[in-house]
Amino acid sequence: MSNEFRLIDTHTHVASAQFDADRADILVRAAEAGVARIIEIGYNLETSRAAVALAESHPQIYAVVGVQPNHAHEAPENWNDQLRALAAHPKVVGIGEIGMDYYWKVAPPDLQERLFRDQLTLARELGMPVVIHCREAQDDTLRILDDAARHQPGVMHSFSGDWAFAQACLDIGFMLSFSGPLTFSKATELHEVARLAPLEMLLTETDSPYLSPHPQRGKRNEPARVRLVAECLAALRGLPLDVVAHQVWRNAERIFHLT
Ligand code: NI
């Protein structure tokens, strides 16, 4: 089956061990579902390196490298130099995932904030967009972005929050990326955001292996299911899937400078 549109999964962790047994099958299923591009995201130096390796061996895969807040305390002293070296690879299209997390709070907030700010600076120096992880830390994430990343290109990954938070993120200039929870019938706040936000500021992702959409909720997620997210977004906007897919594709090209 050939699709008259192309989908993009802007946030995956396909290099993770959970895909070791069937990674090739997963990528075939993604292609069959119309997912023509995948952005693999690192969350520490090791997974960032793995993301680059995966991107190197697959033309449709790009990499984003960074230290996620739950790994801030494990980062070696020279993490910034190592990250900068990884970011020089031609398939690396952004810095992430970075941000703040008060749900797990495995790293102290001041350390999270220091690495977050340092990576925002690094991205700015490199002229790269940032991919933001924000979990139960909306106020501090906004405060830091407003202070340090206004008009810097960025994405709120797996956006979660109400329309007021969405507006604040859009006001800073950040795109909103929807994942599986958009498809949950009780996610009324997310549905409102999906209806009201400018279409040219929206992206789709799976965050595989996490956050599997309805009706596959609770299972190991995979990039092919970004189609369920895109279909849900199209339905909420009252637009055909191909129109939404085309705009999201262009949005991703614009922010990640994909060629
Ligand atoms: Ni992630």
Side-chain angles (χ1 to χ4, degrees):
M1 180 191 73
S2 84
N3 292 288
E4 61 286 5
F5 56 86
R6 294 172 295 182
L7 297 166
I8 179 160
D9 186 348
T10 65
H11 194 114
T12 69
H13 304 285
V14 167
S16 111
Q18 292 184 56
F19 295 107
D20 279 352
D22 60 350
R23 191 169 293 108
D25 297 341
I26 292 287
L27 295 176
V28 168
R29 281 206 290 276
E32 284 171 355
V35 183
R37 276 177 177 160
I38 292 169
I39 302 182
E40 174 75 7
I41 313 283
Y43 51 83
N44 57 19
L45 289 173
E46 191 188 350
T47 54
S48 294
R49 233 171 269 124
V52 173
L54 193 71
E56 213 161 40
S57 52
H58 298 85
Q60 79 278 29
I61 301 181
Y62 297 81
V64 164
V65 298
V67 179
Q68 198 250 29
N70 296 323
H71 297 270
H73 58 298
E74 307 162 350
E77 221 164 280
N78 67 345
W79 66 264
N80 201 312
D81 294 335
Q82 290 197 51
L83 206 56
R84 189 183 292 269
L86 279 171
H89 190 282
K91 292 295 289 286
V92 173
V93 296
I95 298 296
E97 51 188 290
I98 62 175
M100 302 294 287
D101 191 317
Y102 293 165
Y103 177 79
W104 295 107
K105 249 189 190 171
V106 286
D110 57 332
L111 180 63
Q112 293 188 31
E113 177 164 347
R114 184 161 67 74
L115 264 80
F116 187 19
R117 285 181 180 272
D118 285 353
Q119 290 179 96
L120 290 170
T121 302
L122 176 64
R124 194 166 48 246
E125 283 173 22
L126 298 173
M128 283 183 157
V130 288
V131 175
I132 306 298
H133 168 106
C134 168
R135 189 154 184 201
E136 296 193 3
Q138 290 185 353
D139 290 349
D140 280 352
T141 302
L142 271 182
R143 170 179 60 77
I144 295 162
L145 290 178
D146 191 35
D147 176 50
R150 209 159 238 287
H151 306 305
Q152 203 169 326
V155 177
M156 300 304 291
H157 130 68
S158 189
F159 178 82
S160 101
D162 61 10
W163 175 232
F165 181 57
Q167 281 179 293
C169 296
L170 292 165
D171 181 56
I172 291 169
F174 276 50
M175 289 193 183
L176 314 177
S177 183
F178 290 114
S179 58
L182 184 70
T183 66
F184 301 164
S185 57
K186 287 182 180 158
T188 49
E189 281 185 349
L190 274 187
H191 297 164
E192 186 183 25
V193 173
R195 281 194 205 98
L196 295 176
L199 189 56
E200 62 272 15
M201 295 300 281
L202 300 183
L203 294 172
T204 53
E205 64 168 82
T206 59
D207 202 16
S208 296
Y210 312 108
L211 302 177
S212 192
H214 174 81
Q216 312 284 346
R217 189 172 182 173
K219 296 185 185 159
R220 183 191 67 169
N221 202 3
E222 60 177 81
R225 295 191 197 138
V226 81
R227 183 167 181 144
L228 294 168
V229 178
E231 283 172 355
C232 179
L233 179 58
L236 287 163
R237 304 285 303 203
L239 290 169
L241 177 58
D242 63 330
V243 171
V244 167
H246 181 68
Q247 186 60 51
V248 166
W249 182 271
R250 291 182 49 168
N251 298 345
E253 282 195 325
R254 186 169 88 244
I255 191 156
F256 291 110
H257 304 117
L258 305 179
T259 51

